């Protein structure tokens, strides 16, 4: 393949990511509430004692990213909440673009709000892409480990991404890296080797007291190489969806938006004591 054609592949993936969140743009927070999530009157049950906070990915928002998973979890008795973070001035709908450490601060405030409303002592976090990585900053540096029992990442860029090699071209364009960092620091911080990721991963991937699950797909075209999504630690479970169902063709977007095989594994991670085997048939469950 010609080098310029190879460079276009991740660009196309990025455009698909934008398109995916634009399509359901008519959704609203009110719709989320009426469908059972972001209901602050919800009280966790004995079966599911921790509220679940959903953390969207880059270019996502609190509704569009979760039109599949949020109803899946609420129908199973969970109190489910989602937030917007990383907003840039004058940029509606497309979030997760601001400095990642500040986004983690927004998550910290939102978890406190959910815990106060529900009366729960801890929450569980489920995040897609950046939303599966950013909470680790909250857990590690902002006191989140005392308030969170589990973090489930759907295609999280835990060690950054090279966007199928595209980021290695940045040094050949003088000023490009500075422009990216100034305009969209949330994107710049996710490049493999960034200062943010170096700090996040220094001294180990995890913190004690939190249970980590990473769900990855070998067809991921955004967080590449896909194996860099995995975490190392004593309470970590790394899962490749194709090991559970070889027929699962989900890529980076579908794993968070619509893949019920991945959703079944999320439910297992939230309630491991009652986990059931995830197979291709889970797509129908």
């Amino acid at each position: 393949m010609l080098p310029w054609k190879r460079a276009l592949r991740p660009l196309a993936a990025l455009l698909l990511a934008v398109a995916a969140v634009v399509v359901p743009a008519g959704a609203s927070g009110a719709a989320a509430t009426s469908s059972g999530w972001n209901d602050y009157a919800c009280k966790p049950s004995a079966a599911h004692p921790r509220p679940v906070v959903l953390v969207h990915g880059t270019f996502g928002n609190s509704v569009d990213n979760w039109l599949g998973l949020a109803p899946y979890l609420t129908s199973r008795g969970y109190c489910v909440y989602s937030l917007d973070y990383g907003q840039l001035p004058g940029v509606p709908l497309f979030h997760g673009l601001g400095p990642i450490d500040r986004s983690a601060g927004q998550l910290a405030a939102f978890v406190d709000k959910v815990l106060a409303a529900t009366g729960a002592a801890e929450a569980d976090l489920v995040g897609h892409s950046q939303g599966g990585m950013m909470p680790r900053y909250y857990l590690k540096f902002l006191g989140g480990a005392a308030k969170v029992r589990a973090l489930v990442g759907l295609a999280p860029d835990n060690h950054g991404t090279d966007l199928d090699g595209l980021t290695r071209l940045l040094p050949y364009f003088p000023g490009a890296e500075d422009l990216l960092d100034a305009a969209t620091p949330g994107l710049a911080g996710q490049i493999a080797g960034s200062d943010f990721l170096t700090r996040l991963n220094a001294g180990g991937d995890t913190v004690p007291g939190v249970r980590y699950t990473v769900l990855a797909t070998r067809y991921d075209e955004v967080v590449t190489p896909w194996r860099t999504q995995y975490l190392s630690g004593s309470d970590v479970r790394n899962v490749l969806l194709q090991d559970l169902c070889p027929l699962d063709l989900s890529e980076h977007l579908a794993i968070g938006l619509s893949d019920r095989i991945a959703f079944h594994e999320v439910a297992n991670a939230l309630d491991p004591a009652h986990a059931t085997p995830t197979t291709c048939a889970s797509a129908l469950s």
Side-chain angles (χ1 to χ4, degrees), residues 79-269:
C79 293
V80 179
Y81 304 86
S82 59
L83 77 155
D84 289 306
Y85 71 87
Q87 301 93 326
L88 292 182
V91 182
L93 291 177
F94 306 113
H95 303 322
L97 299 173
I100 304 175
D101 55 348
R102 295 183 189 176
S103 295
Q106 291 177 278
L107 174 61
F110 188 80
V111 170
D112 285 347
K113 177 182 176 181
V114 168
L115 293 181
T118 59
E122 293 181 308
D124 290 330
L125 308 180
V126 179
H128 180 213
S129 194
Q130 179 188 170
M133 173 272 291
M134 174 272 281
R136 294 177 48 228
Y137 190 95
Y138 162 55
L139 299 177
K140 192 170 187 177
F141 298 113
L142 303 180
K147 303 174 183 181
V148 172
R149 180 63 190 98
L151 170 61
V152 185
L154 293 153
D157 51 347
N158 283 314
H159 299 95
T161 177
D162 67 3
L163 270 178
D164 207 18
L166 182 61
T167 61
R168 292 195 290 271
L169 299 176
L170 287 174
Y172 295 98
F173 297 89
E177 292 180 84
D178 291 339
L179 177 61
L180 186 66
D181 189 53
T184 54
L187 288 178
Q190 295 177 76
I191 295 174
S194 71
D195 291 342
F196 173 82
L197 287 168
T198 299
R199 183 184 180 204
L200 176 64
N201 293 315
D205 291 345
T206 63
V207 295
V210 179
R211 185 173 63 244
Y212 297 82
T213 302
V214 174
L215 305 179
T217 170
R218 68 169 70 254
Y219 302 113
D220 200 311
E221 77 284 30
V222 175
V223 180
T224 57
W226 64 264
R227 289 181 179 83
T228 61
Q229 299 172 27
Y230 284 173
L231 294 171
S232 298
S234 59
D235 201 356
V236 173
R237 183 168 181 258
N238 295 310
V239 180
L240 180 65
L241 288 183
Q242 284 73 36
D243 286 342
L244 305 175
C245 175
L247 300 178
D248 191 330
L249 301 179
S250 292
E251 39 63 72
H252 185 79
L253 292 177
I255 190 176
L257 297 178
S258 59
D259 187 349
R260 291 177 70 89
I261 294 172
F263 294 175
H264 188 271
E265 269 302 287
V266 169
N268 280 346

Side-chain angles (χ1 to χ4, degrees), residues 64-87:
D64 296 342
N65 210 139
W66 305 117
L67 293 173
L69 182 58
Y72 183 95
L73 293 176
T74 57
S75 69
R76 285 157 176 77
Y78 288 92
C79 293
V80 179
Y81 304 86
S82 59
L83 77 155
D84 289 306
Y85 71 87
Q87 301 93 326

